Amino acid sequence: MANEKATKPASSLSINFRQKIAAIFTLLITFIMLVSVYLVTFQVKKSSLSRAEESGRLLGKIIALSMGEDIVRGNFQGINYALKEFSQMPRIEYCLILDNYGRIISSTDEELSGRYFSDAWSRSALYADGLSIRRASRNGKPVYDTSVPIIIGGKRHALIRVGFTLDEEYASIRSLLVYNLSLGVFLILVGIFIAYAVSSTLLTPLNAILTSIESMSHGDFSQKAFVETSDEFEQLALSFNRLSNFLETRQTTEKYITSKIWEADASLKKKHFSGKNIEAVVLHLELSKFELFVERHSASEAVDTLNSFFEQISEIIAQSGGIIDKFGDGFVTAIFPIIQNDNWPAFLRAAFTALAARNSLNIFNFKQAQLGLEDLHLKLGMASGTVIVGNIGTSSRSDFSVLGAPINMARKACELSTRQNDFRPVATIELVKMSADFLHFIYIDQPIACQNDDNAFYTLKNFTNLSYFKERLKVSSEKGNISIISAFGLTETEDGLEFLSSIISDSENPYRFDAIKALSPYLFAGNEKARQELMKLINEDSDPQIVALATSILGYACDKNLKEQFTNLFDHEDDRVRANAVEACIPLDFTNKRDLLK
């Protein structure tokens, strides 16, 4: 399995974004400060104005009570004395008494006595029935200029003008500004810290993905996004890594040759050679009675089906480290070179490819059934021995090709992969002998051969020695571990199902999704325990992604008895679950299906 490199995020990519976040936080806090200052200043102004109004009314009543007799008699000496006493109050800047014609009859400023106020506000205040108040200036100082009529015995005799200082209001505003400035500076510093912390949280996974995308743009699909979060970013990184794996596999598949296999053997480093003898395992895959399929369908349907088959099989072969020899009329031949000290022996990789291809065709047939199309069956044959590899052709055009007796033996074994043995892979005795510790085979009884003959053939049932695969899980790469988990599913055994169930039950296991996907062979085999495992996930798990995947895999059972299980999910809150439930119902045959799906 290929080693995968996880790319750490580059901090330089996030500097500009962090500055923007910090600037946004700073502007936001500044805006909040300005609004706060405006609102509080407005409130202070309003409360100060209210105090001035109340003070003006109170002072007018006091003067009317205390100096009413002096005002009626015109005792200006007593009035002047009283005003001077009033002016000693801390908030009063000046105090005047005007007659009903607007003439000043008494004032704390003796120079104003006898004068008239002729401005518009003073004239309107002179004839007002109640208190009048405005903002004004006295000797360069802002004041509240208050006008209160003096009414004695129901008759208006005079008007008192009082100037209340705004020193208290301005002191409150100054204190507020200092407090807001101090709080604002503190909040800005906190905001910048939060901005960098938030940006780091956001950008660390994004930078990892951006770095991987940059590597992909240069054709390197091996670097993966390294994200250690448990949120949507982790799902994004996992989706991106799956895309990267797919593109890497597609690139390898398109070349139809895995360079790492050749590089592992010094004798195979030169790809353009005249011919070499190598030991290899040969896998021949062929669609059963494909010529009849071609006769029953149009040319475009036949070609599209064949290309879909080739695409799926080619990806599986490439992922398993195989080399595609040639394509033909519904068949593919691949070889798996035997390499010294290989952690994954060639026969294991070939067997995994055969069983995975068989399961892949089952999935393909499920999708065919959804579209109302015909099923296909895959025959598989395996052999081992010495083959000749080389580029055959002319100097202007040549193709990679494999020659030798194992090619013919694999094709012969393929012919024995029939409906009688459920189209399982068939292998030669040489392959059975070298893989006895890892693969489980059953002898095929033939009239012309006995179990010890060189022409004896065996049906591949599944993998054995599962402890070896469990040990490999501890040291393999991420891609290798996914393949190992898939191998447990391909065994279709109770031990394999138990191991997959242990992974699925662990909500913290990073391979939980892969273990659920690995249950698909059990569903195609009609395993009831696997059904119950998936139904338990659907009914009890809180993660909608798990429920959606379990629904999709359970659909492979194609059992109309599961109709109620799927239709109950039509009202699920997650759209992925609903969509998968609908897809699972499409191949099923039950009454009112058309109306229900509508």
Side-chain angles (χ1 to χ4, degrees):
M1 298 296 175
N3 293 324
E4 298 180 358
K5 296 178 285 185
T7 306
K8 293 283 186 179
S11 60
S12 60
L13 296 176
S14 60
I15 293 176
N16 293 334
F17 184 77
R18 287 177 178 172
Q19 291 176 345
K20 291 177 183 178
I21 292 291
I24 291 174
F25 268 87
T26 302
L27 292 175
L28 180 61
I29 293 172
T30 303
F31 174 75
I32 294 174
M33 286 173 54
L34 293 176
V35 172
S36 174
V37 169
Y38 172 79
L39 293 176
V40 176
T41 302
F42 176 78
Q43 186 63 33
V44 169
K45 177 181 177 181
K46 183 178 179 181
S47 61
S48 179
L49 181 62
S50 299
R51 287 197 302 270
E53 290 178 352
E54 292 299 322
S55 299
R57 288 191 181 94
L58 180 62
L59 192 58
K61 290 180 180 180
I62 292 174
I63 290 177
L65 293 173
S66 63
M67 296 189 296
E69 185 177 352
D70 292 332
I71 292 174
V72 172
R73 295 180 179 182
N75 183 5
F76 299 111
Q77 185 177 0
I79 293 173
N80 290 336
Y81 175 77
L83 290 183
K84 288 181 180 179
E85 291 297 322
F86 280 123
S87 64
Q88 300 301 317
M89 297 175 66
R91 293 190 65 242
I92 296 179
E93 190 69 24
Y94 61 87
C95 190
L96 311 170
I97 296 179
L98 296 81
D99 61 16
N100 289 332
Y101 302 102
R103 183 174 64 89
I104 299 174
I105 60 177
S106 182
S107 172
T108 54
D109 187 352
E110 297 179 355
E111 295 181 356
L112 297 178
S113 297
R115 294 186 179 182
Y116 288 85
F117 281 117
S118 58
D119 60 280
W121 186 85
S122 297
R123 288 198 302 271
S124 63
L126 184 65
Y127 299 104
D129 295 332
L131 178 142
S132 299
I133 190 169
R134 67 171 180 172
R135 290 283 294 268
S137 178
R138 172 76 172 180
N139 297 327
K141 296 179 62 177
V143 296
Y144 280 123
D145 190 5
T146 309
S147 174
V148 184
I150 299 175
I151 300 174
I152 301 173
K155 182 179 179 181
R156 181 175 179 150
H157 290 274
L159 189 74
I160 182 171
R161 291 277 292 274
V162 182
F164 294 96
T165 179
L166 298 179
D167 290 343
E168 183 178 347
E169 178 183 347
Y170 278 91
S172 299
I173 293 175
R174 281 194 297 270
S175 299
L176 174 66
L177 290 174
V178 172
Y179 172 78
N180 267 328
L181 180 62
S182 302
L183 180 61
V185 171
F186 173 75
L187 290 178
I188 288 174
L189 294 176
V190 173
I192 292 174
F193 173 77
I194 294 175
Y196 272 81
V198 170
S199 63
S200 177
T201 302
L202 294 175
L203 291 174
T204 296
L206 288 179
N207 282 333
I209 297 174
L210 286 175
T211 305
S212 298
I213 291 176
E214 182 67 21
S215 299
M216 287 177 61
S217 67
H218 293 89
D220 182 7
F221 299 102
S222 62
Q223 295 195 19
K224 301 298 181 287
F226 184 86
V227 178
E228 294 181 331
T229 60
S230 299
D231 50 21
E232 287 76 6
F233 285 113
E234 182 185 32
Q235 298 302 320
L236 176 62
L238 291 176
S239 298
F240 174 80
N241 288 341
R242 284 193 288 269
L243 173 62
S244 179
N245 287 333
F246 172 78
L247 293 176
E248 182 182 14
T249 301
R250 175 63 62 83
Q251 183 187 56
T252 305
T253 302
E254 288 175 352
K255 295 179 180 179
Y256 301 131
I257 186 166
T258 305
S259 60
K260 294 180 181 179
I261 297 177
W262 299 102
E263 294 169 357
D265 191 334
S267 64
L268 302 176
K269 286 186 176 179
K270 294 182 179 180
K271 299 178 184 178
H272 298 284
F273 44 77
S274 58
K276 293 284 185 180
N277 289 323
I278 66 170
E279 296 295 321
V281 175
V282 179
L283 174 62
H284 184 77
L285 310 96
E286 184 175 336
L287 292 175
S288 177
K289 299 181 180 179
F290 185 71
E291 65 281 359
L292 299 179
F293 180 89
V294 173
E295 293 177 1
R296 290 191 299 268
H297 296 79
S298 65
S300 60
E301 289 177 329
V303 171
D304 290 342
T305 301
L306 191 59
N307 287 338
S308 298
F309 164 71
F310 282 156
E311 183 175 354
Q312 292 188 19
I313 299 305
S314 297
E315 290 181 6
I316 297 173
I317 293 172
Q319 289 176 349
S320 303
I323 304 169
I324 292 180
D325 171 27
K326 60 175 66 71
F327 294 111
D329 184 12
F331 72 86
V332 179
T333 303
I335 66 168
F336 297 81
I338 298 175
I339 301 172
Q340 294 290 333
N341 301 321
D342 192 354
N343 291 325
W344 299 104
F347 57 80
L348 261 186
R349 289 186 277 114
F352 175 83
T353 301
L355 295 176
R358 183 170 177 269
N359 185 65
S360 179
L361 191 72
N362 287 333
I363 297 175
F364 179 84
N365 286 334
F366 175 79
K367 296 178 180 179
Q368 290 281 95
Q370 289 180 324
L371 299 174
L373 301 177
E374 183 179 349
D375 285 354
L376 297 175
H377 297 286
L378 182 63
K379 302 188 297 182
L380 306 106
M382 302 169 61
S384 63
T386 304
V387 296
I388 301 173
V389 295
N391 292 309
I392 298 177
T394 65
S395 58
S396 60
R397 179 178 178 179
S398 63
D399 293 323
F400 173 82
S401 186
V402 182
L403 307 173
I407 303 294
N408 297 327
M409 293 299 294
R411 292 176 179 173
K412 184 176 180 181
C414 182
E415 294 302 320
L416 298 176
S417 176
T418 61
R419 192 177 299 275
Q420 282 67 32
N421 57 8
D422 199 20
F423 291 99
R424 287 189 170 274
V426 175
T428 61
I429 190 170
E430 292 84 359
L431 184 61
V432 172
K433 291 178 179 179
M434 72 166 60
S435 60
D437 293 336
F438 294 92
L439 302 177
H440 177 211
F441 290 94
I442 297 178
Y443 174 68
I444 299 178
D445 188 15
Q446 299 179 81
I448 61 174
C450 65
Q451 193 164 349
N452 296 323
D453 286 343
D454 292 339
N455 293 326
F457 291 93
Y458 295 78
T459 298
L460 173 63
K461 294 293 291 182
N462 49 48
F463 298 103
T464 59
N465 195 4
L466 297 184
S467 58
Y468 173 80
F469 293 96
K470 292 179 181 180
E471 289 299 319
R472 293 299 305 167
L473 271 174
K474 301 176 182 179
V475 295
S476 293
S477 65
E478 178 184 354
K479 186 188 292 186
N481 288 341
I482 294 174
S483 298
I484 293 172
I485 292 172
S486 299
F488 275 96
L490 296 173
T491 63
E492 301 180 22
T493 62
E494 292 295 325
D495 291 341
L497 180 58
E498 182 180 352
F499 179 76
L500 293 177
S501 298
S502 66
I503 296 178
I504 295 172
S505 62
D506 183 5
S507 59
E508 301 298 324
N509 196 302
Y511 300 105
R512 196 181 184 201
F513 285 86
D514 302 292
I516 296 175
K517 294 178 183 178
L519 292 177
S520 59
Y522 290 95
L523 272 297
F524 291 121
N527 188 288
E528 184 60 30
K529 289 186 178 180
R531 290 192 191 186
Q532 295 299 325
E533 181 76 28
L534 292 171
M535 293 173 66
K536 180 181 178 181
L537 287 176
I538 295 172
N539 297 326
E540 300 179 5
D541 203 284
S542 59
D543 188 348
Q545 289 185 328
I546 293 291
V547 176
L549 179 59
T551 303
S552 178
I553 301 300
L554 184 61
Y556 292 155
C558 287
D559 186 355
K560 63 181 181 180
N561 294 326
L562 296 173
K563 169 213 151 186
E564 185 175 353
Q565 175 71 49
F566 295 133
T567 54
N568 289 338
L569 297 175
F570 284 4
D571 296 326
H572 197 277
E573 59 182 8
D574 189 85
D575 55 353
R576 293 166 297 184
V577 176
R578 296 196 301 271
N580 289 351
V582 170
E583 287 189 354
C585 282
I586 291 176
L588 304 183
D589 184 17
F590 57 88
T591 58
N592 299 326
K593 182 172 75 171
R594 181 186 298 273
D595 295 334
L596 185 61
L597 293 181
K598 285 183 179 180

